[in-house]
Amino acid sequence: MNQSLACHLIIIMSFFCFGLVNAQQENNRIPFTVMSHDYIDKEVIKNILISPTILTNLSFESDVILQEQEFLYLMGFDKGCVINSEDIIAAIGRFAKKNKYSMIQMTMVIDDHGISVHLIFKAAWIFKKIKIHNMYQRKQSLLQLYLMERGDNFDQSKHDHSLTKIKDYLISNGYFNQNISSFFEYNHYTKEVIVHISIKKGQQFYFGTHIVEIKSDNAIYEDNDKLCKLVQKKLSRDLSSSVFIQEQLHNEIIIMKNYLAKKGFLHTTIDSEHTIDYVHSVVNVCWKVTIHQKKEIVFFGHRFFSKRQLFDKILVFGQSTWLLPASLLAEEIVRAYKSKGFLNAEVITQEEKERSFFIIKEGPRAIITAIEIKNGTYGHQDVIKKKCFGELLKHSYFDTYLYDKAINLLTNFYFNQGFPAFTVIHHDVVEKNEKNEYALVVTVDEGGQKQIKTVSVNGHSEFNEYDPFKKIIIEGNIPFTNKVIDEQRAFLVAHFQSLGYLYPKITLAIESLNSDVSLRWSVDSGEKIRFGKTIMSGSSSIPFSCVKPFLCYKEGELWDQTKIKQTFTALKELEIFETIHFSADGSYAHENRSILLKLHPDDRYEIRTRAGLELQHVRKYQTFSGLTYKIGGTTLIKNPSNCADQIRFDCDFARSHREIVGCYRRPWFMKYPFFTTLQIYSIIYDQPGFIGSDNDLYTLVQNGFFLGIQKKSKHFNIDCNNGFEWMKIHIKDNVQQLSFARAIDFKPQLIDKLVPFVFIEPTLMIEWLDDLLYPTRGGLFLFSLKGMIPVKKKYKDSSFFKLLCEQSLFIPLKTVVAALRFRCGHIFYREFSAIMPSERFYLGGSHSLRGYEADLAPPLGIFVDEENNEHIVPRGGRSMVNANIELRLPLYKKKIGAVLFQDLGALSGTLFADFKRQDVLAATGFGLRIFTPLGPLRFDIGWKWRKQIPVERSFAWFLTFGQAF
């Protein structure tokens, strides 16, 4: 009986425990919130996952796009890993930094095999961008009034307030009949909101009538009617037919106060009330002027300053001017005269009840003929005077502004020579023997010159071999200046950051003994910072797998700011993003620092148009002194297949050429990412005619397509294009075809024949320039090989291989840059006359020999026209050598520069070995550069060393954009 009872109790207890376990597992399957509005509930995770456990399953669901690759990347672990609560908390923190999810829920099921985790992501609606319709001017000003930024959680109240601000802005600019409406475009795939605002401005209102009401305190001024008419006349003149703008209304009040002050009413208050006339679209303004005090100011004897300028001098005191005694105002006038060199100026004042008289005796203006620096013993004082006080002496008259400018130059000069305690004590203007001639005597305290004797970095003797320190250690006695300290500090910061110490603390101890200074640097490098995970904000439709291959850094690598810049450049070159922003996550003091990446895709469809003028030297196309039209457009489809690809269609038309190009570019994300480009093109180009001709030499037709592969890195760019092309040379004048063909050494049988070619063109470019637009240091190497093989046997003689090598170097010489380029090329062919003229080498033009017109460097052909007259035409060559040397000099700040150049070159129809001395051509000249954000606007003019034919000019000039090389 007892045994039976015991068995029953054991069975009951087993069922009870089994029920508890099942209940516990069921509870674990119920989702619990781990993050809500950026708050992470760490305790609930720690209470469930108490000890490290094997992850048996990991899954997720999301109401917005989230690729599995990105999910696993941000989680940082996968099935089979041993995880703890801290791993899950860190992963949830990374998802929170995406600034996308309003809530994250989790279910965890623990069994004998491990733990199963399932995450549920619930996204908030995010503001993506704003589009303003029916507004074509000042659109940027309206965009700045919108209170939400891209990536913010969408807030209806902020949107409504933004519309109110836009409405107020339009009203303040005279649009009282405006109508503003908005609607939202929802993308449920990414949970993003595009705001569309439609604005109908209506008619802009103008200033209408002006009513002036003037009141005065205690009947101070009784002739109000006359003053009203004066004020009303001025307002009507200033604002008549002007658009109503609220800011202009406020500015007019300030102008009116100054106007009344010059009439003697120094203390006034002006208010305005306006009424809107919707019928006539005008704003009528009522001006209420209150006069508190009248004090008329009268000037006599002034010649240098005008009456208006003198008023401006005393009105600096504002409305307090009427309270100040005339003697104090006179001091301000005297001070203004003395600042312009009237050292003996006097002002006599006389006051009546409502008037103040200022009788001005200007006296002669001091002429500065000599400069003396008292107590100045350093260097050549005459050179210092000329360098610092040259502008003041050139002006001759004493001027406080020029004096202050000269003292700044003098102080900076001494500071740069190691005089840190240099001060200017005072200055005197001493009269000389000659009448009205003065010497400016500047008394200074040089304070003693300091020189850096030693420099060291505690614990880092290896820095003695680096430039900022090596020069001091070897030479010694370097002037102690802030510039030297700044260079050393910048070097230390950059050096330690390159080692991964992102925030080094650098301190400097300066020890001075007489004129010798010792610098001792101390560096607390802090923690090494490494790259963590990259967190893409929001939920971009571009897959994370398309972005990750362009990251030039790897997780765990030492932090390097240059790699961030390289990544930015790589993403920008995709041309599918409107904005790209990187920032380091500083919320956790951890060695691995996450990178927050914000990518805002650009509009998928874009149309660009362009129009301009083109300068040509051929008389046929001259319309305005050699200018002819050029129009074109581009259509872009960005990221059409959601893999960072692009479709581009370009059309350009001018009187001398036509280009139609369609292009599809797509990146491929393998171990080593690369681009492929499919391009289809149709080009028609008129080759300019011979010297003195009104006609074209020939028309080149190129139709074809190619598939290109491109691999680009920081310094290397490798391309290989393979395609098919049809080429044709067309000569319009059939009678002259044979003569033209003979002149350019071209087979007559190929004229007007569409010749099909298969071609391959590999290219290698190595670039290490400090700046692509304005290089001052580095170089560029280019190697290109192009092979074209005719498809039809009857054109087999037209096959060739074209080799081109180019090397450019840029060497800084203080403020001057020496630029050098050498290039050479050769064509391997079966028969030269069968090679298409467009594929031959030419010299002459703005990028080769600048003393010759484009393509008109010898060897040249001779064309005989119907009247038996001979003309010179470009023929081209088989072998080419070209060298260019430039000295690029700055002229005005960084805006204008000059160039002195020497160009050399030789062109031959045979081999390099067959070049003769007379084949070498040269051109010497100069140029000007106007630096713009698009590149330099370039003017070059070059002179030939010798003329080949009598009819040609001895020089050539070019106006274009971009450097010569």
Side-chain angles (χ1 to χ4, degrees):
M1 180 70 180
N2 292 334
Q3 292 179 352
S4 175
L5 180 62
C7 291
H8 283 293
L9 288 173
I10 291 171
I11 292 171
I12 292 170
M13 291 297 295
S14 298
F15 276 111
F16 180 73
C17 292
F18 180 76
L20 286 176
V21 171
N22 283 342
Q24 182 67 34
Q25 290 183 349
E26 289 299 326
N27 287 334
N28 287 341
R29 289 192 180 94
I30 298 174
F32 56 91
T33 301
V34 293
M35 190 208 78
S36 177
H37 298 94
D38 296 334
Y39 171 74
I40 301 174
D41 193 344
K42 300 179 182 179
E43 295 302 321
V44 69
I45 300 174
K46 291 178 180 179
N47 291 335
I48 296 177
L49 189 58
I50 300 174
S51 60
T53 310
I54 295 176
L55 182 65
T56 58
N57 188 38
L58 179 63
S59 58
F60 75 96
E61 60 181 275
S62 174
D63 63 350
V64 71
I65 177 176
L66 176 61
Q67 288 89 15
E68 184 176 2
Q69 181 181 2
E70 184 180 5
F71 169 77
L72 295 175
Y73 173 78
L74 293 180
M75 290 298 293
F77 50 81
D78 201 351
K79 291 187 295 184
C81 298
V82 177
I83 63 170
N84 56 31
S85 58
E86 294 299 327
D87 294 330
I88 295 179
I89 291 171
I92 297 300
R94 287 191 285 271
F95 282 104
K97 287 183 176 61
K98 282 181 66 66
N99 194 30
K100 179 63 183 177
Y101 304 108
S102 60
M103 182 182 295
I104 300 178
Q105 295 180 320
M106 177 185 292
T107 59
M108 291 194 295
V109 178
I110 303 174
D111 54 24
D112 295 337
H113 302 288
I115 185 172
S116 176
V117 176
H118 180 74
L119 291 170
I120 303 170
F121 297 93
K122 296 182 179 180
W125 284 100
I126 300 298
F127 170 67
K128 182 178 181 180
K129 67 186 329 184
I130 178 174
K131 293 185 178 182
I132 296 179
H133 305 281
N134 304 325
M135 189 84 175
Y136 306 105
Q137 294 179 345
R138 300 182 183 178
K139 184 179 289 189
Q140 193 61 38
S141 300
L142 298 181
L143 292 174
Q144 292 175 356
L145 295 174
Y146 203 76
L147 299 178
M148 283 183 284
E149 295 184 1
R150 299 189 65 162
D152 291 348
N153 288 347
F154 182 76
D155 188 329
Q156 182 69 43
S157 61
K158 286 185 177 181
H159 169 76
D160 295 338
H161 188 51
S162 299
L163 294 186
T164 302
K165 292 187 68 174
I166 292 173
K167 182 177 181 179
D168 293 341
Y169 174 82
L170 293 173
I171 289 175
S172 67
N173 282 276
Y175 297 100
F176 293 95
N177 286 329
Q178 88 288 336
N179 184 10
I180 303 175
S181 60
S182 66
F183 67 93
F184 308 124
E185 180 183 341
Y186 295 95
N187 186 338
H188 294 274
Y189 186 60
T190 59
K191 264 202 166 179
E192 292 176 316
V193 182
I194 298 177
V195 177
H196 295 265
I197 298 179
S198 179
I199 299 175
K200 295 180 180 178
K201 296 185 297 182
Q203 187 175 355
Q204 196 169 18
F205 282 49
Y206 286 75
F207 280 102
T209 59
H210 299 277
I211 301 173
V212 180
E213 298 177 0
I214 295 182
K215 296 187 297 182
S216 56
D217 293 345
N218 301 321
I220 293 173
Y221 188 71
E222 298 178 354
D223 196 4
N224 287 351
D225 293 338
K226 183 178 179 181
L227 184 61
C228 280
K229 291 178 180 179
L230 287 173
V231 173
Q232 193 165 350
K233 183 179 180 181
K234 177 173 175 51
L235 289 170
S236 299
R237 183 175 66 249
D238 292 348
L239 301 178
S240 177
S241 302
S242 296
V243 171
F244 177 84
I245 297 176
Q246 192 72 40
E247 186 178 355
Q248 188 175 356
L249 194 65
H250 297 321
N251 292 338
E252 193 63 30
I253 290 176
I254 297 172
I255 294 171
M256 188 56 57
K257 283 186 176 182
N258 290 333
Y259 173 77
L260 291 173
K262 292 170 184 177
K263 293 289 183 183
F265 304 102
L266 299 175
H267 187 198
T268 59
T269 56
I270 301 176
D271 296 318
S272 66
E273 295 179 357
H274 58 268
T275 57
I276 304 168
D277 185 349
Y278 290 95
V279 177
H280 300 95
S281 299
V282 294
V283 179
N284 301 316
V285 184
C286 179
W287 303 83
K288 297 184 178 180
V289 182
T290 303
I291 300 170
H292 301 285
Q293 182 67 38
K294 181 183 180 184
K295 187 177 183 180
E296 189 175 355
I297 295 176
V298 183
F299 298 101
F300 293 104
H302 57 91
R303 293 187 303 274
F304 182 79
F305 288 116
S306 66
K307 185 177 179 181
R308 176 174 293 183
Q309 289 173 320
L310 291 172
F311 266 116
D312 292 337
K313 300 295 180 185
I314 64 174
L315 287 177
V316 294
F317 297 105
Q319 293 192 354
S320 301
T321 304
W322 71 280
L323 297 172
L324 298 176
S327 59
L328 186 60
L329 299 178
E331 290 179 9
E332 188 66 26
I333 296 173
V334 171
R335 189 179 296 110
Y337 269 100
K338 288 188 175 182
S339 70
K340 292 299 181 181
F342 296 91
L343 305 181
N344 299 317
E346 295 181 22
V347 178
I348 300 172
T349 62
Q350 183 178 343
E351 293 192 74
E352 295 180 357
K353 183 179 179 182
E354 293 183 354
R355 289 185 180 183
S356 293
F357 296 92
F358 293 86
I359 304 169
I360 300 169
K361 296 181 180 180
E362 293 181 343
R365 192 176 184 188
I367 300 174
I368 304 299
T369 59
I371 303 290
E372 180 185 345
I373 302 177
K374 197 172 183 179
N375 301 331
T377 59
Y378 174 77
H380 299 285
Q381 289 292 306
D382 290 338
V383 176
I384 296 173
K385 293 174 189 176
K386 185 176 181 181
K387 181 178 181 180
C388 300
F389 293 89
E391 189 175 354
L392 180 60
L393 288 171
K394 184 178 179 181
H395 186 263
S396 72
Y397 293 112
F398 179 82
D399 190 299
T400 302
Y401 170 76
L402 295 177
Y403 168 78
D404 292 338
K405 189 175 179 180
I407 293 302
N408 287 334
L409 291 172
L410 182 66
T411 305
N412 291 334
F413 172 79
Y414 271 93
F415 282 174
N416 292 333
Q417 299 304 316
F419 293 85
F422 174 84
T423 55
V424 176
I425 299 173
H426 61 84
H427 75 275
D428 295 311
V429 181
V430 180
E431 189 172 6
K432 299 176 70 175
N433 295 331
E434 298 294 332
K435 185 179 180 181
N436 203 37
E437 290 188 0
Y438 293 81
L440 176 63
V441 180
V442 180
T443 305
V444 302
D445 180 5
E446 292 183 339
Q449 188 179 25
K450 301 288 185 179
Q451 295 178 330
I452 302 174
K453 200 73 175 178
T454 61
V455 62
S456 61
V457 182
N458 292 338
H460 297 278
S461 59
E462 68 275 10
F463 289 146
N464 296 341
E465 300 299 321
Y466 291 95
D467 286 342
F469 308 97
K470 185 177 180 180
K471 185 178 180 181
I472 297 173
I473 293 171
I474 294 176
E475 299 179 6
N477 298 327
I478 301 297
F480 173 66
T481 65
N482 288 333
K483 183 180 178 182
V484 174
I485 294 175
D486 292 341
E487 286 178 352
Q488 294 179 4
R489 186 184 298 276
F491 171 82
L492 292 173
V493 170
H495 176 79
F496 281 96
Q497 286 184 345
S498 68
L499 296 177
Y501 300 100
L502 197 57
Y503 305 109
K505 295 180 181 179
I506 299 173
T507 56
L508 173 64
I510 302 175
E511 298 177 0
S512 178
L513 179 62
N514 297 326
S515 63
D516 296 336
V517 174
S518 296
L519 304 179
R520 185 179 295 114
W521 293 94
S522 299
V523 181
D524 179 8
S525 58
E527 285 189 356
K528 270 191 174 182
I529 304 297
R530 298 180 180 273
F531 286 110
K533 292 186 178 295
T534 301
I535 303 172
M536 286 177 57
S537 297
S539 57
S540 173
S541 59
I542 299 173
F544 179 73
S545 58
C546 294
V547 176
K548 189 177 179 182
F550 291 97
L551 304 180
C552 299
Y553 53 84
K554 294 181 180 179
E555 186 178 353
E557 286 183 344
L558 290 175
W559 189 277
D560 189 347
Q561 198 68 24
T562 58
K563 293 187 177 181
I564 297 287
K565 294 178 181 177
Q566 292 171 19
T567 304
F568 174 85
T569 302
L571 292 173
K572 185 179 179 181
E573 288 178 349
L574 292 175
E575 297 181 353
I576 62 172
F577 298 112
E578 184 178 352
T579 57
I580 303 170
H581 183 262
F582 286 88
S583 60
D585 178 21
S587 57
Y588 296 106
H590 195 271
E591 180 183 4
N592 284 14
R593 195 67 57 91
S594 296
I595 299 96
L596 305 180
L597 173 58
K598 294 181 180 179
L599 295 175
H600 297 301
D602 205 350
D603 289 335
R604 174 157 292 187
Y605 304 100
E606 182 179 352
I607 296 177
R608 304 171 186 169
T609 58
R610 49 186 173 267
L613 298 174
E614 199 172 57
L615 185 66
Q616 299 186 120
H617 290 282
V618 181
R619 287 182 298 181
K620 174 183 175 180
Y621 303 118
Q622 289 181 356
T623 53
F624 300 96
S625 300
L627 293 176
T628 182
Y629 72 85
K630 183 177 182 180
I631 59 173
T634 300
T635 301
L636 291 169
I637 305 177
K638 304 171 186 177
N639 198 30
S641 59
N642 205 31
C643 61
D645 54 347
Q646 184 188 93
I647 298 174
R648 183 185 183 108
F649 183 73
D650 289 281
C651 291
D652 285 286
F653 299 92
R655 301 184 73 174
S656 60
H657 63 273
R658 184 214 71 190
E659 296 181 18
I660 301 175
V661 180
C663 177
Y664 175 74
R665 188 183 67 170
R666 176 195 168 123
W668 295 91
F669 309 107
M670 299 182 178
K671 184 177 181 181
Y672 301 102
F674 63 92
F675 283 88
T676 58
T677 302
L678 176 63
Q679 184 167 303
I680 303 173
Y681 55 89
S682 176
I683 301 172
I684 298 177
Y685 169 73
D686 292 336
Q687 174 67 25
F690 47 80
I691 298 175
S693 170
D694 289 334
N695 299 314
D696 303 322
L697 183 58
Y698 57 80
T699 299
L700 171 69
V701 179
Q702 289 178 282
N703 298 321
F705 64 88
F706 68 81
L707 178 65
I709 299 175
Q710 181 189 41
K711 170 62 181 172
K712 190 173 183 180
S713 62
K714 181 179 179 181
H715 297 294
F716 292 86
N717 189 359
I718 302 174
D719 285 288
C720 186
N721 296 330
N722 304 272
F724 200 90
E725 184 173 277
W726 291 265
M727 296 183 67
K728 183 174 73 171
I729 300 297
H730 171 66
I731 297 177
K732 298 178 181 178
D733 191 345
N734 296 328
V735 178
Q736 300 295 320
Q737 282 188 0
L738 185 60
S739 182
F740 269 122
R742 190 181 301 112
I744 64 175
D745 193 9
F746 186 64
K747 279 188 173 183
Q749 298 89 332
L750 296 177
I751 294 176
D752 282 336
K753 296 294 189 298
L754 200 61
V755 183
F757 289 91
V758 173
F759 70 89
I760 180 171
E761 186 176 14
T763 303
L764 168 65
M765 186 173 70
I766 305 173
E767 173 264 312
W768 62 99
L769 300 173
D770 60 342
D771 190 289
L772 291 177
L773 285 179
Y774 304 106
T776 60
R777 185 188 303 272
L780 184 145
F781 172 77
L782 175 68
F783 172 84
S784 175
L785 179 65
K786 183 177 183 179
M788 296 194 71
I789 303 172
V791 175
K792 297 182 179 181
K793 287 186 178 180
K794 63 179 180 178
Y795 302 126
K796 63 181 179 179
D797 292 340
S798 296
S799 61
F800 68 89
F801 284 89
K802 183 178 181 180
L803 175 67
L804 176 65
C805 292
E806 181 176 327
Q807 173 71 65
S808 300
L809 291 174
F810 302 90
I811 305 168
L813 305 172
K814 293 186 177 180
T815 58
V816 178
V817 176
L820 306 98
R821 180 182 70 170
F822 175 79
R823 62 191 186 117
C824 61
H826 184 71
I827 300 176
F828 303 89
Y829 60 88
R830 296 185 61 175
E831 187 176 349
F832 181 78
S833 61
I835 298 177
M836 293 292 176
S838 60
E839 298 296 338
R840 301 174 183 178
F841 288 112
Y842 295 90
L843 287 178
S846 62
H847 294 280
S848 57
L849 288 175
R850 281 166 280 186
Y852 295 83
E853 301 289 352
D855 302 341
L856 283 174
L860 302 169
I862 299 177
F863 164 69
V864 181
D865 62 17
E866 295 177 344
E867 299 178 358
N868 208 29
N869 294 322
E870 294 184 349
H871 305 280
I872 305 301
V873 294
R875 176 182 290 180
R878 173 187 185 184
S879 302
M880 179 272 298
V881 178
N882 180 211
N884 304 92
I885 302 172
E886 285 190 352
L887 289 178
R888 300 177 179 177
L889 307 91
L891 288 183
Y892 177 70
K893 297 181 179 179
K894 294 184 178 180
K895 297 181 179 179
I896 300 177
V899 166
L900 302 176
F901 63 81
Q902 176 62 60
D903 298 337
L904 299 169
L907 198 63
S908 173
T910 55
L911 299 173
F912 287 112
D914 297 331
F915 276 130
K916 299 176 183 178
R917 185 175 180 180
Q918 59 267 26
D919 292 333
V920 178
L921 308 173
T924 306
F926 68 89
L928 292 175
R929 307 287 185 268
I930 299 176
F931 304 128
T932 71
L934 300 177
L937 177 62
R938 174 163 63 101
F939 169 78
D940 284 331
I941 182 169
W943 284 266
K944 304 176 179 71
W945 281 17
R946 65 178 184 272
K947 293 171 63 174
Q948 302 291 327
I949 54 176
V951 295
E952 67 178 341
R953 293 188 301 186
S954 60
F955 68 93
W957 61 271
F958 305 93
L959 181 64
T960 184
F961 263 104
Q963 300 283 10
F965 57 92

